[in-house]
Amino acid sequence: MDMLMLKLDKSTEKPLYEQLYLGIKDAIIHKQIDVGTKLPSKKKLAEFLNISQTTIEIAYSQLIAEGYVASKPRIGFFVEEIDELPFIEKEMLHLPVAKAENKLYQFDFLPGKIDTDSFPFSLWRKYAKNIYDSNSKELLQIGDPQGEFALRAEISKYLYQSRGIVCQPDQIVIGSGTEQLLPMILRLLGSNLKFALENPGYSVIPKIQLQNSAISIPVDENGLMVDELEKTNANVVYITPSHQFPTGAVLSATRRTQLLSWAAKDENRYIIEDDYDSEFRYIGKPIPALHGLDQNNKVIYLSTFSKSLMPSLRVAYFVLPSTLLQRYKETFHFYSATVPRFDQHILADFMRDGYFSKHLNRMRKIYRKKREKLTQIFETFYPNVQITGDQAGMHILISVPLSNREEQLKQMAAKDHISIYPISDYLLSPIDYKDPTFLLGFGGIPIEDIEKGIHQLMNCWGISKSKVLKK
């Protein structure tokens, strides 16, 4: 063929190889070069265009990679047949780009935020680097639908050591969050569910396959009121016994026994135990998991690494009673694990070498100091603000002596660049609180900013400092 008649502009910022690649590609797409045509050799084209052979090689390589050109060793480069393109390539129009709305708050008291400054990035990077290697090429294939055995084995060991749960890796199912795993549990338990929830409770639960059918059970300072549960026709109850969300109440020993007895009275009754942040208890010994006390295979244990490691990891899991294993395998034999295999192995290795436990111990101390700082500020400057649920977790509840509605106070805080979360967001059915009550998460706020954040919040609500003098 005649030498390619391409104009290259050496005065622009666009690289010469890119200009050459785009020129040949455009000519092929618009049939200006016939299929099967042999392109000039790199040497000849370089001499003709007065550019380097390297530039020609880069352009040809890109054309080969995209399927426009084929290379035949020791023969040359030939134009390939291409399918009709699904779109016509055009120069980018300079249109205004819509920006995603992302409200930035000076202080965000979201309960789910963690202390990002304390994450062990260097260690995590080391384990990620080790696993992203050609020796791990098997991980490119689809893995076990229940999750990687290595991670399930580490979770099994961890649950035995920290929560008193005896289970085999085969009983564990890994998924990308409570929102993904709970529908699986509900489907596993059958269609005739009468589902009971704590009130107040985890707000996303009623939205998952329940709509308005859930039965609300009140909570007091001793956790779920099992007497009220027994009055209903519920056969499945979702509960956060170690640190009730959002009140922080711990299910008392008496009620634990009562709840397990309730479940044992009917073969179709089950307890879903969400142990979402049991690692962070600051006073006394850890509260035993209900699953560890269960003798009748009635508790499905559910937990996550969102608080203990990072929310963005999207790794959660449930532990099935052995009696439900066969039903699970029959129901979900076609499922695939929703967490990438590489991420699972990074976490498994991190746990295997003891770094997860070390990280938890460190974070427990950090969150304890933050909690102490938070409560000390209220006790010192705002003694009329009632604090509850402060013995565990990464948030407390505050009740403020104001006549405003919670939504009004939330908007007042937002105008002052503070995000605050009213307990009414977590109600399944109405509860009449004496004073406006809010969740105050402290995990994501640097300890040196906590005092300023509290003072700014109280000030925007018109609550003055009234420093308590020490006797």
Side-chain angles (χ1 to χ4, degrees):
M1 64 163 284
D2 294 332
M3 194 67 68
L4 285 173
M5 300 304 294
L6 296 168
K7 292 182 179 180
L8 301 181
D9 187 351
K10 298 182 181 181
S11 65
T12 69
E13 294 183 358
K14 183 176 287 188
L16 293 175
Y17 75 83
E18 186 175 347
Q19 294 182 49
L20 179 60
Y21 148 75
L22 289 173
I24 299 174
K25 176 180 174 181
D26 186 68
I28 294 173
I29 290 173
H30 292 93
K31 312 296 185 185
Q32 294 170 0
I33 305 177
D34 295 332
V35 173
T37 299
K38 182 179 180 181
L39 298 181
S41 70
K42 290 182 285 186
K43 182 179 179 181
K44 286 184 178 180
L45 189 57
E47 291 173 352
F48 180 77
L49 296 174
N50 193 26
I51 58 177
S52 72
Q53 289 191 44
T54 301
T55 299
I56 308 295
E57 185 174 357
I58 295 173
Y60 277 10
S61 295
Q62 186 63 32
L63 291 165
I64 292 169
E66 294 185 16
Y68 292 99
V69 171
S71 172
K72 296 181 180 180
R74 294 185 297 277
I75 300 178
F77 302 91
F78 296 85
V79 175
E80 286 276 83
E81 177 75 59
I82 59 172
D83 295 331
E84 291 296 320
L85 296 179
F87 62 93
I88 298 173
E89 298 189 7
K90 298 180 180 179
E91 288 291 322
M92 287 293 293
L93 297 176
H94 295 288
L95 299 174
V97 179
K99 293 183 178 179
E101 287 191 21
N102 185 21
K103 290 186 178 179
L104 295 177
Y105 294 100
Q106 185 178 2
F107 300 103
D108 187 353
F109 290 102
L110 181 69
K113 285 203 166 185
I114 64 166
D115 188 313
T116 54
D117 291 336
S118 302
F119 185 78
F121 280 103
S122 58
L123 269 173
W124 195 262
R125 183 166 55 247
K126 168 192 165 187
Y127 283 99
K129 184 178 179 181
N130 289 343
I131 206 70
Y132 281 104
D133 185 88
S134 59
N135 292 328
S136 304
K137 60 185 177 182
E138 170 57 28
L139 299 183
L140 298 173
Q141 306 289 359
I142 292 291
D144 191 304
Q146 286 185 225
E148 297 300 289
F149 182 85
L151 179 55
R152 288 186 283 125
E154 291 303 324
I155 291 173
S156 176
K157 293 175 191 174
Y158 168 72
L159 290 177
Y160 176 71
Q161 294 166 357
S162 67
R163 307 299 295 128
I165 294 175
V166 179
C167 67
Q168 299 300 316
D170 193 45
Q171 294 174 249
I172 298 172
V173 177
I174 294 168
S176 57
T178 300
E179 299 89 341
Q180 186 264 335
L181 291 177
L182 189 67
M184 293 177 68
I185 295 173
L186 298 184
R187 181 178 173 187
L188 185 65
L189 296 180
S191 57
N192 191 30
L193 290 182
K194 301 293 186 296
F195 202 86
L197 293 169
E198 299 167 315
N199 187 40
Y202 185 37
S203 62
V204 76
I205 297 302
K207 301 172 186 176
I208 301 179
Q209 294 188 355
L210 295 177
Q211 298 178 351
N212 298 318
S213 62
I215 302 165
S216 65
I217 309 296
V219 172
D220 63 14
E221 64 276 8
N222 291 312
L224 182 89
M225 299 175 68
V226 184
D227 287 343
E228 296 300 317
L229 173 66
E230 292 175 334
K231 297 175 184 177
T232 71
N233 63 346
N235 55 13
V236 177
V237 61
Y238 181 97
I239 184 171
T240 51
S242 296
H243 182 232
Q244 201 278 329
F245 187 88
T247 69
V250 175
L251 191 68
S252 67
T254 300
R255 289 190 183 174
R256 285 167 183 264
T257 302
Q258 187 181 1
L259 184 61
L260 290 170
S261 297
W262 168 85
K265 290 176 182 176
D266 191 310
E267 64 177 358
N268 294 317
R269 287 182 181 177
Y270 287 95
I271 301 165
I272 301 174
E273 175 184 14
D274 189 341
D275 208 25
Y276 70 102
D277 70 354
S278 61
E279 294 91 354
F280 302 117
R281 180 166 173 77
Y282 311 116
I283 299 174
K285 295 181 179 180
I287 304 298
L290 268 178
H291 192 288
L293 304 174
D294 179 28
Q295 302 295 317
N296 297 294
N297 292 308
K298 289 295 183 178
V299 178
I300 300 169
Y301 181 90
L302 179 66
S303 193
T304 174
F305 289 93
S306 292
K307 297 281 185 75
S308 57
L309 207 51
M310 52 177 154
S312 64
L313 186 61
R314 304 306 299 154
V315 176
Y317 59 92
F318 59 72
V319 181
L320 289 173
S322 55
T323 50
L324 288 177
L325 277 179
Q326 186 57 38
R327 191 189 305 179
Y328 168 83
K329 293 181 186 299
E330 292 171 356
T331 306
F332 296 106
H333 63 89
F334 57 91
Y335 266 46
S336 296
T338 53
V339 180
R341 297 182 71 189
F342 284 95
D343 290 347
Q344 293 187 56
H345 279 274
I346 293 169
L347 177 54
D349 293 347
F350 190 76
M351 296 179 75
R352 178 200 64 207
D353 292 346
Y355 289 113
F356 179 61
S357 295
K358 291 176 182 177
H359 177 66
L360 278 181
N361 289 336
R362 181 175 179 229
M363 297 313 300
R364 197 176 290 116
K365 292 175 184 176
I366 289 172
Y367 292 139
R368 180 188 290 114
K369 288 179 180 178
K370 288 188 177 186
R371 178 191 64 92
E372 290 171 351
K373 181 74 172 178
L374 196 67
T375 55
Q376 177 257 326
I377 293 166
F378 279 109
E379 290 168 356
T380 302
F381 297 103
Y382 309 102
N384 292 331
V385 174
Q386 184 183 1
I387 300 173
T388 54
D390 62 331
Q391 294 187 5
M394 293 160 62
H395 76 271
I396 63 172
L397 287 185
I398 60 168
S399 296
V400 292
L402 297 171
S403 58
N404 307 68
R405 295 175 58 225
E406 288 177 355
E407 189 59 33
Q408 291 176 320
L409 294 172
K410 178 180 178 180
Q411 294 303 322
M412 290 166 65
K415 288 179 181 178
D416 206 11
H417 310 291
I418 300 172
S419 187
I420 189 82
Y421 303 86
I423 198 167
S424 54
D425 288 351
Y426 303 90
L427 296 182
L428 191 63
S429 57
I431 297 177
D432 186 19
Y433 287 93
K434 178 185 175 184
D435 294 317
T437 302
F438 296 86
L439 282 72
L440 210 64
F442 52 81
I445 300 180
I447 192 167
E448 63 271 16
D449 292 341
I450 287 177
E451 182 164 359
K452 181 182 178 182
I454 297 303
H455 289 323
Q456 189 167 317
L457 177 62
M458 294 297 108
N459 184 62
C460 83
W461 285 346
I463 300 177
S464 302
K465 294 180 186 177
S466 54
K467 189 167 183 178
V468 178
L469 298 176
K470 294 183 179 180
K471 295 182 179 179

